[in-house]
Amino acid sequence: MAKKLDKVDVVVVGSGWAGGIVSAELSKAGYQVVMLERGKDQTRSDFIGVKDELRYTNRHEMIEKLTGDTITSRVSIGDAALPVRLQKDMNTGTDLGGGSMHWAGSVYRWRSYDFEIRSKTIERYGEGKIPEGMQIRDWGITYDELEPYYAKWEQTAGISGEPDPLGDNRSNEYPNPPMLASPAIKLFKESAKEIGLHPYQMASGNMSQTYTNPDGETLNQCMFCSFCTMYGCDFGSKSDPLATVIPTARKTGNCEIRTNSLVRRVIHKDGKATGVLYTDTRTGQEFEQPADVVVLAAFTFSNNRLLMLSDIGEIYNPETRKGTIGRNFTGQFNSTFLGATGFFNDKKFNYYMGAGGLGGALSDYDADLFDHTDLDFIHGGGIELRQYGDAAIKNNFVPKGTPTWGEEFKEKSLFYAFRTLTVWYSAAVMPWWHNFMDLDPTYKDEFGDPLLRITNKLTEQDKNIAKFGIEKCTEIVEAMGADIIDQDEMPDQFDHTYGGMHYIGGVAMGEDPETSAVNNYLQLWEMENLFVVGGSALPHFSSHHPTPTIGALSYRAAEGIEKYLKEKGGLLTQPKSSGVKA
Amino acid sequence: MTNNKDSNQDTQDLSRRKFLKSGGLVAGGLLGGSLFGGLLTSQFQKDSKKDVAPQADKQVTFDARTFFSRNEDFALLSAATERIYPENKNGMGAIELGVPYFIDRQCASNWGRNANDYMVGPFPSITKTDVYEEEKRQTNEVITSSTVVKLPAGTANYQTKMTRGTFFLEGLNAMEKTSQDKFNERFINLEPEQQDEILQMFEKGEVKFSGVDSADFFSLLRQTTIEGVYADPVYGGNRNMEAWRMKEYPGPIMSFLDKIEEEEFIVMEPSSLRNYQGL
Ligand SMILES: Cc1cc2nc3c(=O)[nH]c(=O)nc-3n(C[C@H](O)[C@H](O)[C@H](O)COP(=O)(O)OP(=O)(O)OC[C@H]3O[C@@H](n4cnc5c(N)ncnc54)[C@H](O)[C@@H]3O)c2cc1C
Ligand code: SF4
C-alpha cells in the first residue's frame, strides 16, 4: 500500500531546467513545493577531480542507466519495435539537476519564423509548399510574446554572448560578454565573412566572467578546461540547475527536494489531478504525494509515458490522425548534424582546449532567412564550428580512404590529431503524421509497465535539407583553406541512436485541442491543474538546440501556475479551432 | 562515487587553504565567486607554469588477468590489438601500452557485464547475422570520422543476450577457428600479414558463426583497443601516458584560460588523472 503524505500546493516531477525553474519561481512566490527526482542527490563535489574521458564520454557516467527502463524504437508503423538497449545509444539525464547538468551549454533562441511556421510558409510560398503529411502549425504564441521569457532565462542562466546579426529583436543584451575566441574560431569566422556570410561568436552557458544572477546565485569564470559536455563542471562555471535554480528554490525554505523518487503515475479523479504515485528506488516503498497542482517536468519521454500510463488524454493514432498525446515526435539525431571536415597539413590547433559552448555560428541558411522557392524543403539549419576540446580517445580523425586501424591509421591519426576541424549544419526537423510515440505492446520496465515506443522515419525533407547543408559547410571549409575535405553522408534511414537529449513533442502546445495537448502556459487542455513542461511541448524542432526555448516556456508555465493558484482554477487561455487538419 | 565524496571534501578543505594563501593564480575570476570548484587539485598547489608529470615512476601497475581465464585467449587478444595499433617509428604499440590488460579489466567491469544496459527479453528470434544479410550495411558513425565506432545499424543496435564480455570470448574463439581453417595454424603463430587478413575478414563481416556478427566483434575489438591506447593510465592502458605523448595530448589540465587565444600549438608534458587528483 502506498503511504499517503500531506498535501502540498505543487508537486514537480523532475529536477532539470524545467522542473528547477518552476520550483524556484513558485517557492519564491510562497507556495509549498515538493520536487521529486528519480536519480540520486549530487553536489558539485561529485565533479571534482574527475576529468576522465573514458568514464564520462565513453562509459556515460552521468547518463541514465537503462537496466530497468528504456524506449523501444522502429522506423515504420507495422514493424516490430526493438528496445534501445545500450546506454550509449540513449542519452537521457538523471540525478539532481537532470540532463541539464552535463549539457554543453550552447545557447540559441528559436526564430520568429518557428512560432508561426505554418502561416509564414503559406504567406510566402502558398499552401502547396507544405507537403501532405507534414504536421506543422503555429504554436499559439509568437516570438514577441515569448521574448521576455527568453530574456529572463538568459539572465538567470548567465549567458555569455553577442547578438546574432541575423537574429530577431532582443529586449536586452546578454548578461555576459562573449567567450574568448580561439584561433580556429577566428579562422572560421573570418573565412565565412570573406564569402559573404554573417558569422558571430555563439552564445554559451559557460561563463565568460564571474557573474551573479538576479536570484543572487554566483557562477565563476570558465577555465576552458574542455571536460564539459557529458561532465559536470567542477568550477561552478557552467550554468546548470545546481548552480542556479535549485539553490534558489532551497533558499526559500518552501521547496522540499526528494531524490531517489521515481514517479510512476499521475493520480486523478473527476478530471482533476490529485497528486502523484512514486516509488523510493532504494527501498521499494510506494508513496502518494497529493497536491493542488501537478507539474510534469520529467523530460519528453517520461512526460509522455506518464500521461499514457495514467490514462490521461487521448494517445495519438496515426491511422486516424486523432489524439494528441504522443503526436508530433521529432528530434535531432546523428543525421541532423552533418557537414564537412577539413584536414590541415600545415596548421595545428590547440584543440585539446575548449568548452561546451565555445564556437562560431552563422544563420544565413537558417529558418526562412533564404529563399526556398526552388528548394525541396522548408526551414533550414544553423552552421557551427565548435571547440569542445578534444580528448585523446575521440580525437582520431583520418581522411576518408585511410584504413581505420593498423600502421597507416596510427601514423595518420597521430599526424592529423589537432589538425582537423569540422563544420556542421544542424538542421531543423519537421513533424510528420507517421512519427509519434505510444506504448510498446511487448517490452516492459522493472515494474511491469509498458515501455514508451518511438516510431521515427527519415523523410525526403530530411535528406534534402542535409544535402544542402553539407554543401554549404563544404564551401566554408574550403574558404578556411583545408588541404583535404571530407563530406559527411546522409544515412539511408534512421539509426535508432538517441544521442543528445534533443527529442521533443508528444504533449505539444497550440491553440486547438484537436491538434495540441497543452495551451501556451503548458496547461493540459484536458486537465486544468496538470502542467506538462519541457521539450514535450515543442510542436516542431527548429534548427538549434532546445534548452533556451524550454527555459523560456518554463518561466511562462510558472507564471501560469501562479495565476492558476491565485485565481483558484480555470483554463488560462481559451481554445480556438484552427480548422487545420494538420 | 559516494565514497569519493568524503575524501574529496578533505582535499577541498586542504587546498582551499593553500589556494587562499598563494593568492591569485591563473584563475582570477574564481576569487570573486564561491570557492567551490576545482581549486582542489594539486595543479593549483604547484607553480602553474610547470606542468610536471609527477610521480609517474612511483606508480606500480600490477598486471594480472581478472576476466580472461585462459592464457590462450589472452595471447590471441594481445596479438590482435597489436595489429590494430602496432608498434612503429612513432612509438609503442598496443601490447607495450597495456591494452590487453585494459580490455581484460573492461570486460570484468559493469560495461563488460552490460550492467547499465537494458538486457530484458524477448530477444528477436532472427539472429543478428540474418538481419544484416538482408539489409544494406551502414554504420551509425555519421557525425564525423571520429573513432568511436558503433555497431552497424539496420535494426535498433545490439539485440543480443550476450554481454560484451561473452561477445569477446565468442569472437576470439571464432578468430582462432578461422585461423585454423584458413592457415592451419594458431593465430598467434601467423605472420603479421596473415593476421591482418583474418582481421579484415572479420571487419568485412565475412566470417559466419553462430550468435556473433563478425563485423560487430571487430568493431568492438577496435573500439576497445583505441580506448585502451588513449584512456587515462588509471585503467591499465596508455602506460606512463606514452600514447598521449605520441599524440601531444596533455591530459586533464585545470585551466587553459591564459592559453585559449594562443596561435602556436603548445606541447606540454602530459599529466594524468592521478596528478589531477593530487595523489
Ligand atoms: C550531452 C548533451 C549535451 C547537450 N547540450 C546541449 C546544448 O549545448 N544546448 C542545449 O540547448 N541543449 C543541450 N542538451 C539538451 C539539454 O540537456 C536538454 O534540453 C535539457 O536538459 C532539458 O531539460 P529538462 O529539465 O526538460 O529535462 P532534464 O534535464 O532531463 O530533467 C528531467 C529530470 O526528470 C527526471 N525524471 C524523469 N522521469 C522521472 C520520473 N518518472 N520520476 C521522477 N523523475 C523523473 C530525470 O531524472 C531528470 O533529472 C544536451 C544534452 C546532452 C545529453
Ligand atoms: S569548460 Fe568551463 S564550463 Fe566547461 S567544465 Fe570546464 S570550466 Fe566548467
Side-chain angles (χ1 to χ4, degrees):
Chain A
M1 257 305 271
K3 183 176 173 193
K4 196 161 176 169
L5 303 166
D6 292 340
K7 188 170 168 185
V8 293
D9 297 320
V10 185
V11 62
V12 178
V13 186
S15 64
W17 273 122
I21 288 169
V22 170
S23 302
E25 290 304 290
L26 289 161
S27 57
K28 269 167 32 185
Y31 294 100
Q32 291 303 312
V33 178
V34 164
M35 183 200 261
L36 299 171
E37 166 56 50
R38 70 178 166 195
K40 64 179 185 312
D41 192 11
Q42 59 183 351
T43 71
R44 195 154 307 287
S45 58
D46 283 300
F47 311 135
I48 289 164
V50 291
K51 297 190 186 300
D52 176 347
E53 184 186 18
L54 186 75
R55 178 171 165 195
Y56 288 83
T57 301
N58 293 57
R59 301 285 180 263
H60 302 95
E61 176 77 26
M62 292 181 76
I63 298 291
E64 188 204 358
K65 297 178 178 37
L66 304 181
T67 317
D69 186 9
T70 182
I71 55 170
T72 66
S73 178
R74 62 180 180 174
V75 163
S76 303
I77 304 166
D79 291 353
L82 293 172
V84 179
R85 295 183 179 277
L86 302 185
Q87 218 186 355
K88 76 175 176 61
D89 292 335
M90 226 306 255
N91 292 346
T92 45
T94 189
D95 303 336
L96 194 64
S100 316
M101 293 305 298
H102 49 75
W103 74 316
S106 73
V107 169
Y108 295 93
R109 292 179 176 196
W110 285 3
R111 307 237 153 217
S112 54
Y113 170 71
D114 282 304
F115 300 94
E116 297 164 275
I117 187 167
R118 188 179 165 86
S119 327
K120 289 192 173 185
T121 304
I122 293 173
E123 194 181 298
R124 186 160 171 191
Y125 309 102
E127 195 146 6
K129 188 76 182 169
I130 303 171
E132 139 69 20
M134 184 195 276
Q135 297 188 146
I136 51 167
R137 60 178 157 70
D138 298 354
W139 288 30
I141 197 166
T142 61
Y143 172 82
D144 288 337
E145 287 169 301
L146 198 61
E147 201 282 335
Y149 303 96
Y150 269 127
K152 184 156 185 184
W153 180 76
E154 287 166 0
Q155 298 292 324
T156 305
I159 302 307
S160 313
E162 66 184 0
D164 175 355
L166 303 178
D168 294 292
N169 292 335
R170 304 175 50 92
S171 58
N172 60 4
E173 299 279 301
Y174 285 108
N176 289 309
M179 303 277 278
L180 298 175
S182 67
I185 295 169
K186 283 181 197 145
L187 176 65
F188 167 80
K189 291 201 289 195
E190 281 158 16
S191 313
K193 213 174 245 161
E194 269 165 32
I195 56 173
L197 304 170
H198 299 81
Y200 65 102
Q201 185 84 3
M202 68 182 243
S204 86
N206 318 120
M207 298 301 118
S208 58
Q209 60 185 14
T210 301
Y211 173 70
T212 301
N213 80 5
D215 293 318
E217 312 301 339
T218 297
L219 293 120
N220 297 312
Q221 182 173 21
C222 170
M223 299 289 110
F224 299 94
C225 78
S226 83
F227 290 85
C228 200
T229 311
M230 302 298 267
Y231 302 78
C233 174
D234 55 348
F235 298 94
S237 313
K238 183 162 74 174
S239 189
D240 60 45
L242 270 188
T244 58
V245 285
I246 290 178
T248 298
R250 273 203 176 114
K251 270 190 310 208
T252 64
N254 295 329
C255 180
E256 190 193 335
I257 300 173
R258 292 185 208 138
T259 46
N260 305 299
S261 302
L262 178 77
V263 175
R264 296 186 32 231
R265 292 288 185 282
V266 176
I267 311 168
H268 53 100
K269 204 177 164 212
D270 305 328
K272 281 252 180 96
T274 56
V276 297
L277 177 81
Y278 72 93
T279 303
D280 183 320
T281 55
R282 296 161 303 186
T283 61
Q285 166 83 49
E286 286 190 356
F287 295 93
E288 184 184 334
Q289 176 61 62
D292 286 331
V293 168
V294 173
V295 180
L296 298 183
F299 192 67
T300 303
F301 294 147
S302 283
N303 282 357
N304 275 279
R305 184 161 173 256
L306 282 169
L307 293 175
M308 294 179 193
L309 290 177
S310 309
D311 212 4
I312 297 172
E314 188 185 340
I315 300 180
Y316 174 72
N317 176 345
E319 309 296 331
T320 60
R321 304 195 194 179
K322 285 218 156 66
T324 52
I325 310 300
R327 183 191 184 94
N328 280 23
F329 171 77
T330 63
Q332 286 188 310
F333 307 97
N334 280 345
S335 56
T336 36
F337 290 90
L338 301 180
T341 296
F343 296 84
F344 296 78
N345 292 336
D346 306 320
K347 265 191 211 136
K348 207 162 173 182
F349 303 90
N350 288 311
Y351 234 50
Y352 51 78
M353 312 173 183
L358 180 64
L362 54 94
S363 307
D364 297 72
Y365 307 110
D366 194 2
D368 205 24
L369 293 170
F370 56 113
D371 186 11
H372 287 67
T373 312
D374 297 325
L375 295 173
D376 41 13
F377 59 87
I378 65 159
H379 212 303
I383 288 183
E384 272 187 353
L385 174 133
R386 272 283 201 112
Q387 185 161 348
Y388 293 99
D390 286 355
I393 302 172
K394 170 155 186 273
N395 186 357
N396 282 288
F397 301 101
V398 286
K400 263 186 203 162
T402 312
T404 57
W405 54 279
E407 177 110 15
E408 195 186 339
F409 165 75
K410 180 177 178 186
E411 175 91 33
K412 289 242 172 89
S413 61
L414 289 173
F415 178 75
Y416 283 114
F418 310 117
R419 293 172 187 271
T420 306
L421 302 180
T422 296
V423 174
W424 66 45
Y425 190 63
S426 62
V429 187
M430 297 301 110
W432 294 82
W433 72 274
H434 50 71
N435 292 345
F436 63 99
M437 294 174 264
D438 61 1
L439 292 174
D440 192 273
T442 309
Y443 291 95
K444 307 222 172 341
D445 71 6
E446 59 191 307
F447 300 98
D449 288 326
L451 299 184
L452 189 73
R453 173 172 70 180
I454 309 252
T455 308
N456 188 47
K457 193 194 265 181
L458 298 182
T459 61
E460 288 308 305
Q461 149 96 13
D462 299 318
K463 292 176 188 174
N464 297 338
I465 214 170
K467 240 185 280 156
F468 174 86
I470 291 165
E471 288 310 318
K472 298 300 173 196
C473 292
T474 307
E475 287 165 16
I476 297 170
V477 178
E478 262 163 19
M480 286 164 66
D483 296 288
I484 302 170
I485 302 177
D486 279 354
Q487 292 187 316
D488 287 330
E489 280 159 35
M490 180 70 184
D492 290 340
Q493 198 36 268
F494 178 48
D495 63 7
H496 306 283
T497 305
Y498 297 79
M501 278 190 74
H502 300 176
Y503 325 112
I504 61 153
V507 198
M509 62 190 289
E511 293 186 305
D512 182 352
E514 287 278 306
T515 54
S516 66
V518 292
N519 64 20
N520 63 23
Y521 287 100
L522 311 194
Q523 178 184 36
L524 206 72
W525 290 120
E526 188 132 344
M527 195 170 278
E528 61 177 46
N529 69 338
L530 181 56
F531 290 74
V532 188
V533 186
S536 54
L538 309 174
H540 73 260
F541 206 105
S542 182
S543 45
H544 275 299
H545 305 60
T547 308
T549 307
I550 293 172
L553 284 169
S554 304
Y555 275 109
R556 168 100 184 156
E559 194 182 292
I561 296 163
E562 205 182 331
K563 212 165 145 199
Y564 179 85
L565 284 164
K566 258 196 210 128
E567 293 170 7
K568 308 232 178 304
L571 276 180
L572 296 162
T573 60
Q574 290 311 312
K576 277 188 221 151
S577 170
S578 59
V580 170
K581 282 285 148 274
Chain B
M1 229 180 170
T2 353
N3 292 342
N4 289 347
K5 232 186 243 173
D6 295 337
S7 59
N8 270 334
Q9 201 60 46
D10 292 347
T11 334
Q12 177 170 6
D13 292 338
L14 188 81
S15 26
R16 179 185 294 186
R17 277 197 301 278
K18 291 200 181 171
F19 177 76
L20 287 174
K21 248 195 266 164
S22 48
L25 296 169
V26 254
L30 280 165
L31 276 175
S34 61
L35 282 163
F36 264 157
L39 318 176
L40 339 156
T41 63
S42 64
Q43 289 180 18
F44 263 108
Q45 297 163 29
K46 296 190 207 101
D47 180 348
S48 65
K49 286 192 198 80
K50 258 193 280 155
D51 288 299
V52 228
Q55 304 174 352
D57 48 334
K58 280 198 208 148
Q59 192 179 335
V60 186
T61 312
F62 291 102
D63 283 341
R65 303 188 311 269
T66 58
F67 178 82
F68 293 102
S69 40
R70 287 168 48 197
N71 199 18
E72 291 84 348
D73 289 343
F74 193 70
L76 198 165
L77 173 71
S78 304
T81 59
E82 183 69 17
R83 293 315 301 153
I84 291 173
Y85 199 88
E87 187 188 342
N88 73 350
K89 65 176 180 345
N90 299 104
M92 290 180 186
I95 292 179
E96 213 181 336
L97 287 165
V99 170
Y101 286 100
F102 167 88
I103 294 179
D104 178 80
R105 289 194 211 172
Q106 287 296 306
C107 284
S109 75
N110 275 349
W111 177 84
R113 300 183 195 283
N114 290 71
N116 298 337
D117 301 318
Y118 185 80
M119 298 297 277
V120 179
F123 294 90
S125 55
I126 34 169
T127 71
K128 263 178 85 63
T129 332
D130 290 341
V131 174
Y132 294 125
E133 270 170 324
E134 282 162 24
E135 306 212 16
K136 184 166 159 254
R137 181 174 294 284
Q138 61 183 44
T139 64
N140 294 341
E141 193 197 340
V142 287
I143 291 192
T144 60
S145 27
S146 117
T147 43
V148 186
V149 172
K150 294 172 180 169
L151 301 180
T155 167
N157 308 313
Y158 210 88
Q159 296 296 331
T160 168
K161 221 171 173 159
M162 274 187 277
T163 63
R164 293 183 178 94
T166 312
F167 217 83
F168 260 104
L169 291 172
E170 293 290 326
L172 293 176
N173 269 337
M175 276 177 67
E176 185 59 34
K177 186 168 176 301
T178 311
S179 172
Q180 303 278 4
D181 289 351
K182 197 170 162 68
F183 297 112
N184 214 0
E185 182 60 86
R186 294 189 52 202
F187 185 87
I188 52 164
N189 296 331
L190 297 179
E191 294 300 315
E193 294 72 32
Q194 293 173 315
Q195 292 180 334
D196 286 355
E197 242 179 88
I198 297 207
L199 286 167
Q200 278 155 8
M201 287 169 69
F202 270 69
E203 185 183 22
K204 292 185 192 136
E206 287 168 1
V207 185
K208 304 289 171 213
F209 51 96
S210 139
V212 178
D213 184 275
S214 64
D216 288 357
F217 173 65
F218 180 82
S219 172
L220 192 64
L221 178 67
R222 177 184 176 279
Q223 182 196 337
T224 32
T225 302
I226 299 292
E227 283 172 353
V229 168
Y230 290 115
D232 192 279
V234 73
Y235 295 101
N238 188 14
R239 291 277 156 86
N240 201 24
M241 301 180 282
E242 288 303 336
W244 287 356
R245 246 174 231 114
M246 280 188 260
K247 193 174 259 185
E248 301 183 318
Y249 172 68
I253 300 290
M254 184 158 293
S255 174
F256 293 118
L257 180 59
D258 56 340
K259 300 192 178 72
I260 187 75
E261 292 180 303
E262 263 183 50
E263 292 282 344
E264 288 303 304
F265 186 75
I266 304 167
V267 182
M268 300 182 199
E269 177 60 17
S271 145
S272 69
L273 203 55
R274 184 180 163 79
N275 175 36
Y276 193 79
Q277 292 177 359
L279 300 173

